[in-house]
Amino acid sequence: MFLQVNKLNKQFQTKTGTLVVLKDIDMTIQQGEFICAVGASGSGKSTLLRQIAGLDTPTSGEVKVDGKQVTGPGPDRGMVFQHYTLFPWMNVQENTEFGLKLQGVPKKERREQASYFLTVVGLTKFAQSLPKELSGGMKQRVAIARALASEPKVLLMDEPFGALDIHTKESMHEFMLDLWQRTNITIFMITHDVEEAVFLSNRIYALGARPGTVRKEIPINLPDRTHMVKRHAIFHDYRDELMDLLRKHGQEAVAAVV
Amino acid sequence: MFLQVNKLNKQFQTKTGTLVVLKDIDMTIQQGEFICAVGASGSGKSTLLRQIAGLDTPTSGEVKVDGKQVTGPGPDRGMVFQHYTLFPWMNVQENTEFGLKLQGVPKKERREQASYFLTVVGLTKFAQSLPKELSGGMKQRVAIARALASEPKVLLMDEPFGALDIHTKESMHEFMLDLWQRTNITIFMITHDVEEAVFLSNRIYALGARPGTVRKEIPINLPDRTHMVKRHAIFHDYRDELMDLLRKHGQEAVAAVV
Amino acid sequence: MTSTPHRSIQSFIKPKLIRPTVFWRLAEDIPKPLYTALTITSIALPLLLWWMVTTFGNIDPKFLPSPGKVLEAFGRLWSTRELLKDTVASLWRVGVGFLFASLFSIPVGVLMGSFPSIRALLEPLFGLMRYMPAPAFIPLLILYLGIGEEPKITLIFIGVFFFNSLMVMDTVKFVPKDLIEATYMLGGNRWEALTQVILPHVLPGIIDACRINLAAAWQLVIVSELIAANEGLGRRISVAGRFLRTDEIFVGLIVIGVIGLTFDLLFQYLLRVSCKWASQKR
Amino acid sequence: MTSTPHRSIQSFIKPKLIRPTVFWRLAEDIPKPLYTALTITSIALPLLLWWMVTTFGNIDPKFLPSPGKVLEAFGRLWSTRELLKDTVASLWRVGVGFLFASLFSIPVGVLMGSFPSIRALLEPLFGLMRYMPAPAFIPLLILYLGIGEEPKITLIFIGVFFFNSLMVMDTVKFVPKDLIEATYMLGGNRWEALTQVILPHVLPGIIDACRINLAAAWQLVIVSELIAANEGLGRRISVAGRFLRTDEIFVGLIVIGVIGLTFDLLFQYLLRVSCKWASQKR
Amino acid sequence: TNPAVYIKTTNETASTGSAVEGAVRLGFSAWPGWFPWQVAEEQGIFEQNNVAVDLKWFDGYLESISTLTAGQIDANSQTLGDTVSSVSGGADQVVVLVNDNSTGNDKVIVAEGINSVADLKGKKVAAEEGTVDHFLLLLGLEKANIPKQDIQFVPLETGKAAAAFVAGQVDAVAVFAPFTTQALKRPGSQELFSSKDFPGAISDHLVFNRKYIQENPDKVQAVVDSWFATLDYMQANQDKAYEIMAKRGGVSVEEYKEYADGTQIFSVEENLKAFQPANDMSSLMFAADEMGQFLVDSGLATQKPDTSTLFDDQFVKAYAAKVGKS
Ligand SMILES: Nc1ncnc2c1ncn2[C@@H]1O[C@H](COP(=O)(O)OP(=O)(O)OP(=O)(O)O)[C@@H](O)[C@H]1O
Ligand SMILES: Nc1ncnc2c1ncn2[C@@H]1O[C@H](COP(=O)(O)OP(=O)(O)OP(=O)(O)O)[C@@H](O)[C@H]1O
Ligand SMILES: [Mg+2]
Ligand SMILES: [Mg+2]
């Protein structure tokens, strides 16, 4: 039980009253797993990830990483945000090093570490580029390298490929699988893209909306992980099961939108 | 030959020299067709649409709508932009009426016309809402209603659903097909989402990148247009053909990105 | 792949903890009661300090009058109606000068922001004029406009016009080009894009620029009332300064400060109302 | 579905045409040569008008000196080195006053923008102080600081400090919260987020605020040099005003304008350099 | 118009009716020799002499001078020195009446420990540059044979100069009443010398723009007549006059009475004499010449102004003839 979410509840006080966003969420993720949580827009996915990251405090319940309760943000959990969060005035190398710099790692060591992870994400050639000179996919790869550089226990990702076009997305999927196999890191990723989730993960949590709850936990067993698998019937079955699940809740959610 | 693009070339003068973005584009679209152009990011899709819209002047070649050469922007071509372009201070009704107001249509008539098209896009209930209160899909539906209200000869769409989540996107696809069948309007849509293009269009222009050229023109014949068709082999064949086409060029393009 | 033994980094990392805090919250809201308490402190603390210094310190009241003396001066000037008259006179001058300056600078600024040609035509001149100290124009204003209300108002006009034009111009830069192109596609011409799209879009920005420049207008009230004024807060302050009636200087300053802050809050309210449609908070 | 015969609308539509234009391009670049030509016109046209009016109009040179006379006065003041001395004196005062004001207001403004608690603590006070006309402080400054350079510089300090703090504060609002949270996730604490993320992010905004407030500082040069100055452009202008030597007033104004514009361009350059990393142009 | 005019303060004087078309626009500022204009206005003496006067009070004396030069008022009460410097600057002005001579109300006031002009050496002395008090200071230095470079001159507006002196920021100050009262509030301060020591050096006049005189000689005459009528009134109603003048000056009646000796209001006879040429300071022409030299010496004027047409005694003479005092 490497990452554990126990009876997590989160509500916000708004002008119109109390908004229950997350209700009784329970999750258990083992070391080395690649887990996705899928849910419609507004189902509280980002909110859930923020509690795990320690950027917000749950109303009740707890989050444990490697047995220790989460009380605040910290580099033991690497985070890749939904929107690009590279520091625009730093070049790729500086961005990748930044976490290590904050943690007091000496210049030489952090330079080596950053270079290593830039090699891992395949951006060594762009070490001196500014974020604005990168495409969306490259930006997220730098964000991943930056998170990995601190050698976190778990990598948290919030719809990291939502803003990418379909081709870039595909190559990022291959990249992620490759990275995961090479580094053997624990990954918890959030997405609304069902195919993405099926293609990447060992297990999927399907979230229901308003309030966000775990509707179903689906273990994924695919014959292989190349993009040919997407034509496989088993892939389609997973996809359709999830789609149906979400379509229903998604429509509820849309109807509830003002 | 309702919308015609003849030997269109477009180049930009940049600091580093002349950038050829579009090269010898030829296209012919008949009245009532639903045509998509698919291409990787940076292949010049938006640039092409801007020439057709008259928002920019081609370096050479011409664009004809209903036999008349395009010399500038105008309401005979309805446009739905890649980014949300609703006027944020007007409510949905006012946004939909705005084009008619600019064209001097009296208040009563334009109110009726706008209401009609809000019914068409299913947003009558939201007539008094501000754009910021709408979800992404609703925003694009208002943009479509706004464009349709002027009864354009052709509806131009630049990746209108690129920013939507997968479920909203699906319902927008159904909505578009329904709209197209009911109004019988000519639609020219640009996208990088291959499935979207296959699902929606009569014919697809696959664009190559750097410089943008028409690589292939593919007529689409699907047995039906419900989302069950996506499991059909013929759908997958179209999809894969296009994917292969673009993947090759897409990778070229990615490699060329600084 | 390099062969760097990258697992070594852990030994260099010094663990740190971010302690939860209320007062030092960074870019996060603090609880409402704390906010209110701090706001009250903001005004009360300086008052208290002032009172302490004048009461327990051995300070010549000519140099720093006690709050009591200032209150007394306030009462005196109020009872003779002089303060009311001064306030009305200055309010009117600043108000009219500022109003005219806004009336001219807003269209000019919008045009400069919208049309690069007009910007090229006016920006260098305005950039030059903005630096010229408004008080320098006093002798010229007396020559051209006499000693009535006109030169006083014109001085405030000059002091606000150029700044406001350039600041309004800056706000126009942030209108998304997409919206203008959407207007063309819907059948609008340039004039309609200007009046029906650019103008409503920059309205909050204009209000904010005006808010800042209203403060600039008040900065000029003393100088403008050097021109043969018989009443006015600025004149009261300069006469008081001449006779070292520090208590009256403080009365004048505080009245101006309070009036200014009132208008500031009014503008902030207008700003909030005018950009209700914006998804981002200001 | 309603049964409105919606095809009827075509009869109401009045077709319009947007004529291509160069001069009236809206929010679009105009050709470089036109831009240059217009920029030159911007300065040349007023000069020409001025020359025409004074040459052909029947205007008392006391009221409006001809460009020739102003040039002559410039030559005269230049040859006696008086103008140089004045310029250096004023540059120094404005420079030092502005520098100190920036030095204090930038950290204060950044802190106010970053910590809601500090904002609550200072904003009301600063909002009040900002409206108080700096010249009102002259008698007090003479009392406390004498008649040397200190009161002159302090006056400029007062005139800039509050404005700049509040404007810097405003720029901090635009730092994306995501970046700060990313810093926490990477192991940074609040102080590091402030100095290593917020500060570099708002640097361009700070430069822009300083650029505007440098102009405000020059607005005070005349008033500050009313305090026992023996030299300075402001003093030259006020003495010239007393003796109605309009030509010298113009010399002073133009010198200040040119100096100001030079610094403005310098700041604009700094701004461009400092936000090279921003994807949006400023 | 500014709505503030509709607010009446409790200590405001009843008159100040709105300006009549064609009224003489007459400016004056804070100086004991000029406060009688306020008496004239409040006691309706202008009306008695059939002339409409729009009396303009200036808080800043300097503004009154530049306003006259700018032609925005027709007449002003100002010192000889300033009239000469205006003329040197190209203004066309004419002195028609001597209001007074300063006989002590312009003072050089020094801090404790300074007991002679020689003690001023190296000290900071404040005065308003180019004004009569600056002139007085230089006269004093000259008399004591001290070069003006030996003192540290501090140019400050008169009110501020007095304030700076009280605050101990300067060691001496040259100011005129009522600011002398202000300056003397500094503990231990004393008068070093005053205009009493230089009779005729500082005289104050009613000055008109020449064009106005040419076009409206009768109005000018009526203003001059009103002045003398006011002096008669003040003789007869001293208490009331003091009350009005003290209020205008912003000082108490007691304080105001101290100025009485420091300002010698000129009678008709004294006026006639002053307009005569002579070789000492009792003659305006001689004094104007001296003043011109002073302006050149102090660098405030580039060349000595032509003062030959500066004086016009026809109105004083006409009044004298009318009352049979010629
Ligand atoms: N700070 C907050 N205060 C009030 N309500 C909030 C807050 N943060 C989130 N919410 C609400 O919680 C709900 C879930 O938001 P969340 O951002 O977690 O959704 P999401 O699943 O990440 O959606 P998306 O796919 O669009 O990113 C939304 O209805 C949102 O309005
Ligand atoms: N005004 C311009 N000046 C210079 N280059 C331009 C300009 N507009 C577009 N380009 C270049 O033309 C190329 C094509 O751009 P375009 O926006 O048409 O691509 P796209 O296919 O729409 O991409 P996306 O899918 O990301 O929207 C890009 O390389 C872009 O940098
Ligand atoms: Mg989210
Ligand atoms: Mg595009």
Side-chain angles (χ1 to χ4, degrees), chain C residues 130-131 163, chain D residues 94 98-107 110 160-161 163-169 171 202-218 260 263-264 266-268 270-271:
Chain C
R130 153 160 82 164
Y131 278 85
F163 271 81
Chain D
V94 173
F98 176 75
L99 210 77
F100 272 98
S102 310
L103 234 60
F104 285 91
S105 61
I106 292 173
V110 170
V160 173
F161 176 76
F163 271 82
N164 211 43
S165 298
L166 291 169
M167 283 169 78
V168 168
M169 180 188 93
T171 68
V202 297
L203 191 66
I206 289 176
I207 291 177
D208 210 34
C210 287
R211 185 174 77 86
I212 289 173
N213 285 316
L214 181 61
W218 276 102
F263 276 92
D264 208 73
L266 183 77
F267 269 101
Q268 283 184 23
L270 281 181
L271 182 63

Side-chain angles (χ1 to χ4, degrees), chain B residues 79-116:
Chain B
M79 176 95 167
V80 178
F81 289 82
Q82 186 166 6
H83 307 286
Y84 307 133
T85 54
L86 296 188
F87 303 103
W89 58 92
M90 300 182 195
N91 65 28
V92 166
Q93 173 82 28
E94 286 161 346
N95 261 293
T96 316
E97 278 181 31
F98 189 60
L100 302 173
K101 187 172 163 204
L102 290 172
Q103 292 167 72
V105 176
K107 198 167 182 116
K108 191 174 149 287
E109 279 74 17
R110 67 177 195 247
R111 177 130 303 177
E112 274 169 19
Q113 178 87 345
S115 299
Y116 174 77

Side-chain angles (χ1 to χ4, degrees), chain E residues 102-162:
Chain E
S102 171
T103 52
N105 271 345
D106 292 276
K107 296 183 200 298
V108 172
I109 295 169
V110 293
E112 202 166 14
I114 298 176
N115 297 309
S116 70
V117 179
D119 289 346
L120 283 178
K121 274 190 185 170
K123 293 286 195 297
K124 284 187 197 150
V125 187
E128 192 165 343
E129 206 177 5
T131 60
V132 286
D133 301 288
H134 187 197
F135 181 50
L136 175 69
L137 174 67
L138 295 184
L139 285 177
L141 292 176
E142 192 181 287
K143 193 172 158 194
N145 273 323
I146 295 166
K148 63 179 178 186
Q149 292 81 2
D150 285 7
I151 63 160
Q152 277 188 56
F153 180 69
V154 177
L156 264 181
E157 185 269 332
T158 303
K160 291 194 190 95

Side-chain angles (χ1 to χ4, degrees), chain C residues 19-210:
Chain C
R19 254 178 266 109
T21 175
V22 174
F23 188 88
W24 290 112
R25 282 202 191 155
L26 188 64
E28 245 179 301
D29 287 342
I30 56 173
K32 191 93 192 163
L34 179 61
Y35 198 92
T36 314
L38 289 171
T39 304
I40 293 170
T41 314
S42 171
I43 298 294
L45 191 71
L47 275 179
L48 190 76
L49 273 179
W50 177 19
W51 179 79
M52 299 246 287
V53 164
T54 47
T55 311
F56 301 113
N58 192 9
I59 288 184
D60 186 347
K62 279 237 134 343
F63 283 44
L64 186 69
S66 66
K69 282 210 70 162
V70 172
L71 214 64
E72 199 183 297
F74 182 88
R76 188 173 66 237
L77 293 173
W78 183 256
S79 65
T80 60
R81 300 260 210 96
E82 285 172 293
L83 191 59
L84 184 67
K85 184 165 187 164
D86 287 341
T87 307
V88 171
S90 292
L91 255 178
W92 193 77
R93 281 170 198 141
V94 173
V96 174
F98 176 75
L99 210 78
F100 273 98
S102 310
L103 234 60
F104 285 90
S105 62
I106 292 173
V108 169
V110 170
L111 288 174
M112 284 171 77
S114 307
F115 297 104
S117 48
I118 296 188
R119 180 177 328 166
L121 202 54
L122 295 181
E123 199 179 5
L125 184 69
F126 278 33
L128 204 78
M129 295 291 294
R130 153 160 82 164
Y131 278 85
M132 299 185 177
F137 293 94
I138 290 184
L140 302 175
L141 290 179
I142 293 180
L143 281 175
Y144 302 142
L145 299 173
I147 51 171
E149 294 295 312
E150 299 88 347
K152 303 180 184 70
I153 291 170
T154 311
L155 189 82
I156 288 168
F157 178 90
I158 293 177
V160 173
F161 177 76
F162 298 105
F163 271 81
N164 211 43
S165 299
L166 291 169
M167 283 170 78
V168 168
M169 180 188 93
D170 273 345
T171 68
V172 179
K173 282 189 201 154
F174 293 101
V175 180
K177 246 193 111 176
D178 280 353
L179 289 189
I180 297 168
E181 294 188 338
T183 312
Y184 293 156
M185 289 310 293
L186 290 169
N189 56 25
R190 290 189 188 83
W191 175 249
E192 287 160 339
L194 185 67
T195 54
Q196 299 189 40
V197 177
I198 293 182
L199 211 57
H201 196 279
V202 297
L203 191 66
I206 289 175
I207 291 176
D208 209 33
C210 287

Side-chain angles (χ1 to χ4, degrees), chain C residues 220-257:
Chain C
L220 287 170
V221 72
I222 293 202
V223 183
S224 89
E225 290 180 354
L226 286 181
I227 311 171
N230 287 314
E231 67 295 294
L233 292 167
R235 184 240 173 200
R236 165 114 358 233
I237 290 173
S238 47
V239 171
R242 219 168 274 170
F243 290 98
L244 270 189
R245 290 197 287 252
T246 356
D247 50 351
E248 289 192 13
I249 298 184
F250 273 69
V251 171
L253 281 176
I254 293 173
V255 171
I256 291 178

Side-chain angles (χ1 to χ4, degrees), chain B residues 73 100 102-106 109-110 112-113 116-117 119-120 149-151 182, chain D residues 1-10 12-18 20 28:
Chain B
L100 302 173
L102 290 172
Q103 292 167 72
V105 176
E109 279 74 17
R110 67 177 195 247
E112 274 169 19
Q113 178 87 345
Y116 174 77
F117 280 101
T119 324
V120 170
S150 299
E151 294 170 6
R182 275 190 289 145
Chain D
M1 287 292 123
T2 82
S3 60
T4 319
H6 71 274
R7 277 284 150 195
S8 67
I9 208 83
Q10 290 295 357
F12 293 103
I13 291 179
K14 301 172 192 108
K16 247 186 293 195
L17 226 140
I18 302 189
E28 246 180 298

Side-chain angles (χ1 to χ4, degrees), chain B residues 40-42 44-47 82-83 158-159 190 192:
Chain B
S41 187
K45 302 186 297 297
S46 297
T47 307
Q82 186 166 6
H83 307 286
D158 187 357
E159 301 187 26
I190 264 175
H192 62 235

